[in-house]
């Protein structure tokens, strides 16, 4: 039958008839009767707008990595097949896999800036506070605020536009820091400009919303790891999810071998030193640390895993105080925190501030009971003195150097520490 149709096709003079027969198929394998259509099977591993938070945009973080989710080039946990379902949306963070070629995969962290419960509560607060309704268009409500209207008119991000926002990063803002935020904001095409002309209204709302909820992704963007800053690489955002390079939290290493604990403690001290002394003259300090603040890459390299509690003081320009900043509050000031939470005075932050917090919260869990008595006694004595505020006039760098001298002989040089191996065999640095 197929052969007869093909033969007939060749004899048809009328072009319209020819097209009709060709549509039926001049192919030996084509059946004379139409085959039943095969229904398209939609894989169950799909990303809904609600799970991602896209239904909340533009009151969200961004959309730069959404295509990766929808093309299944980002998948959760070790689930590399498409038939698996999404994890619960109530979790704060997820372990995921990321690919550029569909062949090789690398681990990533997929996180929310705050829990879904806090997000939902903040969304409700926006509607009830601004529109007096239980549900509303978040974007429409936020666009009506006095703060956002000022953002729309502004050509440059200035301290008065961020006053009262809860992020520690913005408690002591300098114009130089704010210019860096605009110039390096990764959710828009890079314009390399300190002016906000390249930001659409939508972009401005997303940037403001991110700064109001959690400045962690902004810090990863403006101080990238490729320039030597101790943060994981920012890969992008989709809705209210952020994707960054994967690290294991420091809490996973509290029971590590003595040489591993010594190595991590030395790296932690080096990070604290770089936070106080760096080429750009920014002074970083923590407002809070816990076992998830720092993380460790698979090569043993320690980074700041959660930058949400980092404050920044510009040692070059100094902070620019704003009249009435202590009293200024609006809906952006209390999306996820208590509106009554006090600001920390920029002048009250000391050089040893972060070191003392780390000595109180992290180093004892990492170093206690790990070494032989003479060394352990030195470590314990230092940590006790440090946790009390050091108790002398020495600065943080001197104290860090003291503990580093105790720990340096305790670390080893082998393949477990891939970030410095085999360099450690040939360098006095290690």
């Amino acid at each position: 039958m197929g052969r007869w149709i093909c033969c007939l096709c060749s004899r048809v003079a009328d072009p319209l008839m020819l097209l009709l027969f060709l549509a039926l198929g001049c192919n030996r394998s084509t059946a004379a009767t139409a085959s039943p259509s095969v229904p398209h099977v939609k894989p169950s591993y799909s990303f809904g707008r609600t799970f991602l938070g896209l239904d909340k945009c533009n009151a969200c973080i961004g959309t730069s990595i959404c295509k990766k989710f929808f093309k299944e080039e980002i998948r959760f946990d070790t689930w590399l097949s498409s038939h698996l379902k999404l994890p619960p949306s109530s979790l704060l963070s997820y372990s995921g896999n990321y690919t550029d070629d569909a062949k090789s995969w690398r681990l990533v962290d997929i996180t929310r800036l705050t829990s879904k419960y806090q997000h939902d509560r903040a969304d409700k607060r926006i509607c009830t506070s601004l529109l007096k309704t239980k549900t509303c268009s978040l974007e429409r409500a936020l666009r009506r605020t006095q703060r956002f209207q000022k953002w729309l008119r502004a050509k440059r991000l200035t301290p008065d536009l961020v006053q009262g926002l809860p992020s520690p990063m913005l408690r002591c803002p300098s114009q130089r820091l704010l210019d860096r935020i605009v110039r390096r904001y990764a959710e828009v095409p890079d314009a390399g400009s300190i002016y906000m002309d390249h930001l659409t209204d939508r972009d401005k709302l997303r940037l403001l919303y991110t700064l109001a909820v959690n400045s962690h992704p902004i810090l990863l963007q403006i101080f990238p790891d490729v320039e030597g800053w101790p943060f994981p690489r920012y890969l992008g955002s989709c809705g209210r999810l952020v994707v960054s390079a994967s690290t294991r939290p420091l809490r996973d290493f509290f029971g590590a071998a003595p040489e591993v604990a010594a190595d991590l403690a030395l790296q932690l001290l080096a990070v604290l030193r770089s936070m106080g002394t760096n080429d750009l003259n920014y002074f970083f300090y923590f407002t809070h640390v816990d076992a998830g603040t720092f993380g460790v890459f698979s090569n043993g390299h320690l980074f700041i895993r959660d930058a949400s509690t980092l404050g920044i003081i510009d040692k070059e320009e100094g902070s620019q105080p704003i009249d009435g900043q202590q009293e200024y509050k609006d809906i952006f000031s209390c999306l996820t925190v208590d509106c009554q939470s006090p600001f920390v005075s920029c002048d009250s932050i000391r050089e040893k501030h972060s070191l003392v917090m780390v000595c109180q919260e992290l180093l004892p869990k990492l170093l206690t009971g790990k070494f032989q008595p003479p060394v352990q006694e030195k470590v314990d004595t230092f940590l006790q003195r440090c946790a009390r505020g050091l108790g002398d006039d020495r600065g943080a760098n001197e104290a860090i150097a003291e503990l580093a001298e105790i720990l340096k002989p305790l670390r080893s040089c082998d393949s477990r520490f891939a970030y410095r191996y085999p360099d450690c065999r040939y360098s006095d640095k290690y």
Side-chain angles (χ1 to χ4, degrees):
M1 186 66 177
R3 181 179 300 176
W4 177 82
I5 292 175
C6 286
C7 292
L8 182 58
C9 286
S10 64
R11 296 180 183 179
V12 176
D14 190 334
L16 292 176
M17 291 297 295
L18 177 60
L19 289 174
L20 176 61
F21 280 111
L22 288 175
L24 291 174
C26 293
N27 191 308
R28 296 176 185 269
S29 61
T30 303
T33 58
S35 60
S37 60
V38 179
H40 176 68
V41 179
K42 184 179 180 181
S44 60
Y45 193 92
S46 60
F47 295 92
R49 290 171 56 82
T50 301
F51 180 88
L52 294 168
L54 279 173
D55 59 326
K56 306 295 186 180
C57 282
N58 290 304
C60 62
I61 311 165
T63 56
S64 61
I65 210 167
C66 286
K67 286 184 179 179
K68 286 282 186 182
F69 279 105
F70 293 127
K71 292 166 65 177
E72 293 189 15
E73 293 176 346
I74 296 177
R75 295 179 180 172
F76 288 90
D77 204 25
T78 54
W79 302 346
L80 298 186
S81 22
S82 60
H83 68 278
L84 293 169
K85 295 182 180 180
L86 291 171
S89 60
S90 58
L91 300 180
L92 186 60
S93 63
Y94 312 86
S95 177
N97 293 272
Y98 175 103
T99 185
D100 288 317
D101 55 15
K103 296 178 182 178
S104 58
W105 296 80
R106 53 193 170 110
L107 290 175
V108 293
D109 288 333
I110 306 170
T111 57
R112 302 182 188 276
L113 297 191
T114 186
S115 69
K116 189 175 184 302
Y117 168 76
Q118 289 177 303
H119 267 312
D120 292 343
R121 188 174 64 172
D123 294 344
K124 184 177 180 180
R125 182 179 295 167
I126 292 171
C127 293
T128 55
S129 299
L130 301 179
L131 298 181
K132 311 303 180 184
T133 61
K134 292 183 178 180
T135 60
C136 67
S137 166
L138 299 177
E139 180 175 359
R140 188 179 301 118
L142 293 177
R143 286 178 67 91
R144 293 181 179 181
T145 60
Q146 181 181 0
R147 185 193 293 268
F148 186 66
Q149 289 301 311
K150 289 177 65 176
W151 273 63
L152 289 179
R153 295 189 297 269
K155 293 291 185 181
R156 193 174 182 181
L157 187 60
T158 52
D160 63 295
L161 295 178
V162 299
Q163 63 174 310
L165 293 183
S167 169
M169 181 181 72
L170 300 173
R171 288 180 180 173
C172 312
S174 70
Q175 188 59 58
R176 186 169 71 115
L177 176 63
L178 298 179
D179 288 343
R180 189 177 183 88
I181 291 174
V182 173
R183 195 171 63 248
R184 294 189 168 216
Y185 182 42
E187 288 297 312
V188 298
D190 182 16
S193 172
I194 62 175
Y195 298 101
M196 295 197 290
D197 297 336
H198 63 294
L199 300 184
T200 64
D201 294 357
R202 174 198 65 192
D203 298 328
K204 289 182 179 180
L205 180 56
R206 291 177 181 178
L207 176 57
L208 172 56
Y209 180 84
T210 307
L211 291 173
V213 174
N214 188 325
S215 59
H216 170 77
I218 303 299
L219 274 159
L220 269 56
Q221 294 168 42
I222 66 177
F223 298 109
D225 67 308
V226 293
E227 295 180 3
W229 298 97
F231 302 108
R233 180 166 302 179
Y234 177 81
L235 298 173
S237 299
C238 184
R240 290 180 170 180
L241 292 180
V242 178
V243 183
S244 59
S246 177
T247 59
R248 290 176 59 192
L250 187 62
R251 68 171 65 89
D252 290 357
F253 297 86
F254 286 162
E259 61 272 19
V260 174
D263 181 82
L264 292 175
L266 282 165
Q267 289 191 72
L268 185 51
L269 295 176
V271 168
L272 294 179
R273 186 184 295 112
S274 69
M275 289 169 58
T277 306
N278 52 74
D279 293 341
L280 293 185
N281 262 337
Y282 287 115
F283 173 64
F284 298 79
Y285 65 93
F286 285 104
T287 58
H288 171 78
V289 295
D290 58 36
T293 301
F294 295 89
V296 183
F297 284 124
S298 58
N299 65 356
H301 205 171
L302 180 138
F303 277 63
I304 297 174
R305 189 172 191 255
D306 180 3
S308 63
T309 62
L310 271 180
I312 302 178
I313 296 176
D314 191 335
K315 295 196 294 185
E316 186 172 302
E317 283 190 4
S319 61
Q320 298 187 14
I322 304 165
D323 293 338
Q325 176 168 348
Q326 297 288 341
E327 292 77 27
Y328 186 92
K329 300 288 183 182
D330 67 355
I331 188 65
F332 291 100
S333 305
C334 51
L335 288 180
T336 57
V337 298
D338 181 5
C339 285
Q340 304 304 317
S341 57
F343 281 91
V344 176
S345 169
C346 302
D347 298 331
S348 67
I349 306 299
R350 297 290 178 263
E351 184 187 32
K352 59 187 178 182
H353 178 87
S354 295
L355 176 61
V356 171
M357 294 182 73
V358 168
C359 287
Q360 292 172 341
E361 301 296 332
L362 299 180
L363 288 178
K365 298 173 183 176
L366 190 63
L367 299 176
T368 299
K370 290 292 174 67
F371 313 111
Q372 295 299 317
V375 174
Q376 188 67 57
E377 290 172 1
K378 293 181 181 179
V379 171
D380 292 344
T381 299
F382 174 88
L383 293 180
Q384 291 168 8
R385 191 172 78 251
C386 177
R388 293 193 296 265
L390 294 174
D392 52 38
D393 295 329
R394 289 183 306 165
N397 284 337
E398 290 83 356
I400 288 173
E402 178 186 344
L403 182 56
E405 286 304 310
I406 300 173
L407 296 174
K408 280 180 181 179
L410 305 176
R411 64 178 179 177
S412 62
C413 179
D414 58 62
S415 57
R416 288 177 299 170
F417 310 101
Y419 79 95
R420 59 181 174 88
Y421 181 84
D423 295 350
C424 54
R425 291 190 178 278
Y426 312 105
S427 173
D428 293 336
K429 177 183 176 183
Y430 299 105

